[in-house]
Amino acid sequence: MIRIEARNAPPRALTLGVPILSALVALALASIPLAFAGADISTAYAEMAKGVFGSKFAFSEMLTRATPLIFTGLAAALAFRAKLWNIGAEGQLYLGAMAAVAIGSGAVDAPAFVLVPLIVVFGAAAGAAGMAVPTVLKTRFGADEVVTTLLLNFVILIFVQMMLEGALKDPMSLGWPQSSPILDQGMLPQLMDRMRIHSGLIMALVAAGIAQFMLARSVWGFRLRAVGENAAAARHAGIRVNRSLMSVAIVSGGLAGLAGVSEVAGLKGYLTADLSPGFGYTGIVVAMLAGLSPVGVVISALFIASVFVGADSMSRAMGVSSYLADLVVSMSLLCVLIGGFFARFRIVRSKVGVA
Amino acid sequence: MENPKILSLNALSKRFGSVVANDAVSLDLHRGEVLALLGENGAGKTTLMNMLFGHYLPDSGSVEVLQDGVMTPLQLGHPQAALAAGIGMVHQHFTLALNLTTFDNVVLGSEPLFSWRRNRAAARAKLLAIMEQSGLVAPLDTPVGQLSVGERQRVEILKALYRDARILVLDEPTAVLTPQEADTLFENVATMTQNGLAVIFISHKLREVLAFSNRIAVLRHGQKVGEIATKDADERVIARMMVGADTPVTARETMSPGTPMLTLKDVSVQGQSKRDSLSRASFSVHSHEILGIAGVSGNGQSALAGLVSGLMRPDRGTVSVGGTEISRPNPLTMITAGVGRIPEDRHHDGIVGAMTVAENMVIERLNDADIQTRGLLNRDAIQANADRLTKDYDVRGPGSDAAARLLSGGNIQKLILARVFDQTPRLILANQPTRGLDMGAAAEVGRRLLEARKRGAGVLLISEDLDEILGLADRIMVIHDGQLSELTTRDREEIGLSMAGEHA
């Protein structure tokens, strides 16, 4: 007879161990589709590792890829801590990128030390506004934010496409739907010569540090956690639940907006409708894998970026489809969800059955 | 016992994690007998019955039921097997479909799933015969949602009898009834046992157990600590069995009430249901005074509590605390006005279970200068506060940095008491403050309330436990159907009638 029993308190080793184990299991499971694709498995893993750690350039590529994931991962982690289900980081990312391009591509002519902060602030504000709207709909009218934020992603993406054909369109683009480039002095400083890695990474790491600190040490973080864990008790204790939700919505949307700013002003230079290969959605996986901890988000973003970059490079070297990366990322989310179950419950064997 | 044995529980044990809910409990039940299962909250009564009924699978032990003249082992962990063996259970919280009629509720689930037509006439005749025999009467074709609580309970019992129950388990059947409704219930039970039904009746009210049972079994901390024929028992004997010592008596001194601490003037709250409505309530709670609000649950207590704790706003009338009218009532304004609130559902409204004990102790005063400096928490102050309060209020558990949900019910209540009383509130709202607590913890709550009264606070005590109100309150009001009425009497019978709305 096997029964499932709730644990009183998940042991610390498990809360840390489960995400790591899930990541490893997901990587190991990737060998199945690899085998089906006819690749030599050990070579494939070696190629994957080489694609991330094989050279300074490879490593910097991984960090570049991790940068937007840290931002969107933080956006999801903070909102989810308050049980505000922001599925709209993808849309908020595009809003941030759009604001960055609108300000930075010539509308404001200012030196770098003015223009860069301006772009960052407006980008964050645009993302924040993108999350504030569904939050008002939730607190005022009870509209489920899962639905509204998810659907707004598509609305925003279509709006971006419209703008790229209209107001933001680059007249020099030979008809391609892309925006005018951000002025040189509006671009985020590069971190290394001849590499794509940029100071957006520093911003992301600082944001993670601040988020971690605020969550644990500030009254704001206290309220956010209380609202997320038990909104009824928080309200009873005099915490203004709606106000707390709105504040976390603004921060969450702002962080997602920064992901867009950092991609467009740190990397691409101009906006296209394929700026993000789903960074907003992957951010949710990053946050879940991190157990909604800001510092954990950094680590899991690095892991997921490694999987993407490594799988990319492996697929190029071995002729295997790079969709494998998506597969590993999805599987690690599933493994975390299953692993989370084992962290909260334990399996007990007992002999007693029918008397 | 001249009657044959019909049921025996043999050394049933059940553990939940590290908690032993039942430790080798054995019980026998005879035909036509009313066995009272008595014990404090958390003693393991409900767990034991849930094992009997197949909701829980025991870790060890067995159950035997008399079937065709032989004691037959019951397949455990299967409610269907229990039903088939003639065991019926009426839960504390009813399991009725409110939109269906009494008749449909009773036959629901006992009809074959695949059958061309329902044999309603036969079912009806059977049900009418049962009603005739047992004296349980309920309108057959009225939706259950329109019935009173007492009638719904009868429907639950009819449901069990309709399934040919020979053993009926009643889990705290009088918790939701007025004293008069309870008397009717016990008359019905008496009739049914004459027809051979055996009843196990779970309660923690000594009075009714003494009045209506044949035999009493007492559980304490999951163990059966005693069994006694009711005719040999009295309140003191049983109380001592339940707590393992004599009941602590709360001493209360007489005091003259001072200035009004809480005043409601012509206050109405129109809630979504009768449960949270209050109509034109006017009263004051004074300093040095405990005002007890008695009533059957669901008569507007939650509206009154919501109003005083700031969760609800009056639709008309005014609420004043300490002589000052509260213009925009919300939890924060009530806290700052000096209202300490002990919520009814301490797990749901009282604590954030996933946060630490220390954090829960400061959750109501995050704006205070000693708790925060410019938006950052003063961790040392929070820790010092927790150390002081856990010591002063004897909050026991795995420590102040452990999650609050790991505390036992009594210690969670102590945490809330500590948080509330430490702020020396002018007015204390205590809503069902001892529900679910063992006698020791309940006595502690009473002592703290009396202490606050002595200090000069006013206390608004809302309780369904008449004994608690009679023991603590200086004045008693009864709430029925959202209407409050002041009582001049302290006579149980009279209060019971008012609770049923007879004098309103």
Side-chain angles (χ1 to χ4, degrees):
Chain A
M1 192 77 204
I2 292 176
R3 287 175 304 127
I4 293 163
E5 233 177 50
R7 294 178 195 269
N8 279 335
R12 195 157 183 82
L14 271 180
T15 44
L16 291 176
V18 160
I20 295 172
L21 201 66
S22 325
L24 293 178
V25 168
L27 267 181
L29 284 175
S31 63
I32 299 170
L34 270 175
F36 272 105
D40 178 58
I41 290 168
S42 56
T43 332
Y45 281 118
E47 282 294 336
M48 231 191 273
K50 220 165 90 186
V52 181
F53 304 103
S55 66
K56 206 167 143 191
F57 174 76
F59 195 66
S60 81
E61 275 300 293
M62 187 275 284
L63 293 177
T64 310
R65 189 65 171 254
T67 304
L69 291 179
I70 296 176
F71 280 121
T72 55
L74 288 174
L78 287 179
F80 288 9
R81 280 296 275 270
K83 297 248 158 65
L84 180 70
W85 305 111
N86 179 6
I87 314 295
E90 185 77 2
Q92 292 142 26
L93 179 153
Y94 274 104
L95 287 176
M98 210 157 38
V101 168
I103 300 277
S105 61
V108 180
D109 194 7
F113 72 93
V114 177
L115 191 54
V116 169
L118 209 60
I119 286 175
V120 167
V121 167
F122 269 85
M131 188 53 206
V133 171
T135 307
V136 169
L137 293 178
K138 174 192 170 74
T139 55
R140 281 286 159 87
F141 307 109
D144 188 335
E145 76 276 17
V146 173
V147 176
T148 52
T149 55
L150 179 65
L151 294 184
L152 270 176
N153 286 340
F154 305 106
V155 175
I156 291 167
L157 192 61
I158 291 168
F159 180 65
V160 167
Q161 286 166 347
M162 186 185 90
M163 294 302 277
L164 290 180
E165 296 285 1
L168 288 176
K169 185 170 183 171
D170 184 0
M172 314 292 279
S173 72
L174 304 170
W176 289 105
Q178 67 182 48
S179 75
S180 307
I182 291 179
L183 304 177
D184 281 348
Q185 68 267 34
M187 293 293 284
L188 302 178
Q190 295 300 110
L191 289 183
M192 281 189 252
D193 275 348
R194 294 189 309 280
M195 311 243 169
R196 300 204 302 160
I197 185 168
H198 55 89
S199 44
L201 177 64
I202 308 293
M203 281 167 52
L205 293 177
V206 169
I210 294 176
Q212 182 78 26
F213 179 81
M214 293 297 277
L215 208 50
R217 303 285 297 272
S218 73
V219 176
W220 177 80
F222 186 116
R223 292 197 174 115
L224 183 161
R225 285 183 286 135
V227 167
E229 297 292 352
N230 185 347
R235 179 174 292 120
H236 186 270
I239 293 172
R240 292 185 179 137
V241 174
N242 286 351
R243 190 182 286 198
S244 234
L245 284 177
M246 188 46 95
S247 76
V248 71
I250 285 170
V251 172
S252 168
L255 285 163
L258 285 180
V261 170
S262 111
E263 280 301 281
V264 81
L267 202 60
K268 299 280 168 58
Y270 54 87
L271 175 63
T272 56
D274 60 358
L275 177 75
S276 158
F279 287 134
Y281 301 110
T282 311
I284 296 169
V285 184
V286 169
M288 297 302 286
L289 196 57
L292 307 187
S293 130
V295 165
V297 160
V298 173
I299 298 165
S300 74
L302 291 175
F303 167 72
I304 288 189
S306 302
V307 170
F308 273 122
V309 172
D312 257 352
S313 129
M314 183 266 293
S315 73
R316 259 179 276 120
M318 310 196 48
V320 176
S321 162
S322 68
Y323 281 116
L324 192 74
D326 291 307
L327 206 60
V328 174
V329 169
S330 323
M331 283 193 297
S332 56
L333 178 61
L334 287 176
C335 291
V336 168
L337 294 177
I338 296 167
F341 174 82
F342 286 108
R344 275 180 286 118
F345 299 93
R346 62 171 152 225
I347 310 269
V348 183
R349 287 168 153 276
S350 66
K351 280 145 281 168
V352 182
V354 179
Chain B
M1 290 291 158
E2 61 276 27
N3 280 331
K5 198 157 80 169
I6 187 168
L7 171 77
S8 69
L9 310 185
N10 306 321
L12 286 177
S13 295
K14 179 76 186 169
R15 299 163 58 92
F16 295 105
S18 57
V19 182
V20 182
N22 281 144
D23 185 9
V25 179
S26 299
L27 269 185
D28 287 337
L29 185 68
H30 304 264
R31 230 175 99 85
E33 177 185 44
V34 178
L35 169 69
L37 192 55
L38 198 64
E40 298 187 2
N41 278 289
K45 298 167 300 206
T46 303
T47 306
L48 187 64
M49 289 304 109
N50 277 329
M51 286 194 284
L52 169 62
F53 198 63
H55 286 316
Y56 294 155
L57 186 64
D59 295 335
S60 63
S62 66
V63 175
E64 287 176 352
V65 188
L66 184 74
Q67 270 169 332
D68 306 320
V70 228
M71 291 303 278
T72 323
L74 178 73
Q75 194 190 6
L76 295 172
H78 294 271
Q80 288 303 331
L83 276 173
I87 301 169
M89 184 154 177
V90 175
H91 292 272
Q92 224 173 105
H93 304 285
F94 300 150
T95 52
L96 296 168
L98 296 184
N99 53 341
L100 297 184
T101 64
T102 301
F103 176 74
D104 285 334
N105 264 290
V106 170
V107 297
L108 190 71
S110 62
E111 294 179 301
L113 196 54
F114 301 104
S115 147
W116 286 109
R117 46 190 293 277
R118 307 167 68 187
N119 196 347
R120 292 184 68 100
R124 224 181 157 85
K126 178 175 175 187
L127 184 54
L128 284 171
I130 293 171
M131 284 171 76
E132 176 87 18
Q133 243 180 32
S134 62
L136 292 163
V137 185
L140 272 190
D141 299 309
T142 313
V144 165
Q146 293 172 21
L147 301 184
S148 73
V149 178
E151 285 173 316
R152 288 183 201 184
Q153 190 173 53
R154 268 172 252 156
V155 177
E156 282 280 9
I157 299 174
L158 283 170
K159 223 165 89 178
L161 295 180
Y162 183 80
R163 284 163 178 68
D164 304 314
R166 295 171 298 144
I167 299 160
L168 184 65
V169 180
L170 301 172
D171 190 1
E172 306 231 1
T174 59
V176 290
L177 302 181
T178 63
Q180 282 76 11
E181 281 178 317
D183 288 344
T184 317
L185 169 70
F186 289 122
E187 281 166 27
N188 294 331
V189 168
T191 320
M192 291 185 284
T193 48
Q194 272 162 26
N195 298 332
L197 188 78
V199 175
I200 299 179
F201 144 55
I202 302 180
S203 180
H204 58 250
K205 295 183 185 165
L206 305 184
R207 234 168 38 83
E208 58 189 36
V209 163
L210 283 169
F212 300 105
S213 68
N214 306 117
R215 200 152 53 90
I216 299 171
V218 180
L219 292 187
R220 187 168 80 230
H221 301 313
Q223 289 177 320
K224 190 170 87 174
V225 290
E227 208 175 321
I228 187 170
T230 308
K231 58 177 169 24
D232 304 327
D234 67 25
E235 293 207 14
R236 281 177 48 87
V237 173
I238 309 174
R240 200 177 301 138
M241 278 162 105
M242 276 169 76
V243 293
D246 281 311
T247 22
V249 184
T250 30
R252 75 194 271 295
E253 26 194 326
T254 40
M255 274 179 194
S256 50
T259 52
M261 285 293 150
L262 170 76
T263 305
L264 266 66
K265 264 205 200 104
D266 202 22
V267 174
S268 291
V269 177
Q270 189 58 54
Q272 280 162 349
S273 66
K274 204 186 80 176
R275 287 185 76 82
D276 35 56
S277 295
L278 198 63
S279 64
R280 317 198 68 161
S282 294
F283 68 86
S284 288
V285 183
H286 303 86
S287 161
H288 295 299
E289 180 183 65
I290 297 181
L291 173 62
I293 307 284
V296 179
S297 107
N299 270 291
Q301 288 96 330
S302 51
L304 182 58
L307 202 63
V308 179
S309 53
L311 292 168
M312 285 178 133
R313 291 191 182 176
D315 291 317
R316 56 174 290 168
T318 57
V319 178
S320 315
V321 174
T324 321
E325 190 185 321
I326 307 287
S327 52
R328 295 192 70 236
N330 63 47
L332 201 56
T333 52
M334 289 318 243
I335 294 169
T336 27
V339 181
R341 295 107 14 94
I342 302 171
E344 173 179 11
D345 188 337
R346 62 186 78 97
H347 294 272
H348 187 254
D349 296 320
I351 59 157
V352 180
M355 294 175 77
T356 68
V357 171
E359 286 175 322
N360 274 286
M361 280 172 165
V362 296
I363 192 169
E364 288 192 344
R365 45 197 213 92
L366 291 174
N367 294 322
D368 289 10
D370 58 323
I371 298 304
Q372 66 150 311
T373 332
R374 274 178 257 106
L376 293 185
L377 298 166
N378 296 339
R379 293 209 289 191
D380 293 343
I382 293 173
Q383 190 56 50
N385 178 69
D387 291 342
R388 188 170 55 82
L389 292 186
T390 31
K391 189 162 153 286
D392 289 359
Y393 290 81
D394 190 30
V395 183
R396 288 182 210 177
S400 60
D401 54 351
R405 74 183 153 80
L406 297 178
L407 299 184
S408 69
N411 280 299
I412 288 177
Q413 192 71 329
K414 282 190 199 163
L415 188 168
I416 295 169
L417 291 180
R419 181 171 81 197
V420 166
F421 286 88
D422 190 54
Q423 295 301 300
T424 55
R426 308 194 259 187
L427 178 82
I428 293 160
L429 165 71
N431 192 2
Q432 316 290 355
T434 60
R435 179 187 282 172
L437 298 188
D438 60 43
M439 284 191 178
E444 167 78 7
V445 172
R447 203 173 61 71
R448 294 278 178 191
L449 289 176
L450 288 171
E451 210 173 85
R453 161 179 177 266
K454 189 173 173 187
R455 169 174 63 74
V459 178
L460 181 64
L461 169 67
I462 304 178
S463 179
E464 284 156 25
D465 185 348
L466 207 47
D467 294 310
E468 176 171 74
I469 288 192
L470 288 170
L472 291 173
D474 297 287
R475 279 194 301 140
I476 298 176
M477 292 180 93
V478 164
I479 190 163
H480 175 78
D481 236 349
Q483 306 261 1
L484 279 163
S485 47
E486 174 112 34
L487 290 187
T488 43
T489 168
R490 297 182 84 87
D491 177 64
R492 270 176 181 285
E493 190 79 1
E494 291 279 308
I495 298 175
L497 286 170
S498 304
M499 282 162 70
E502 303 280 318
H503 288 221

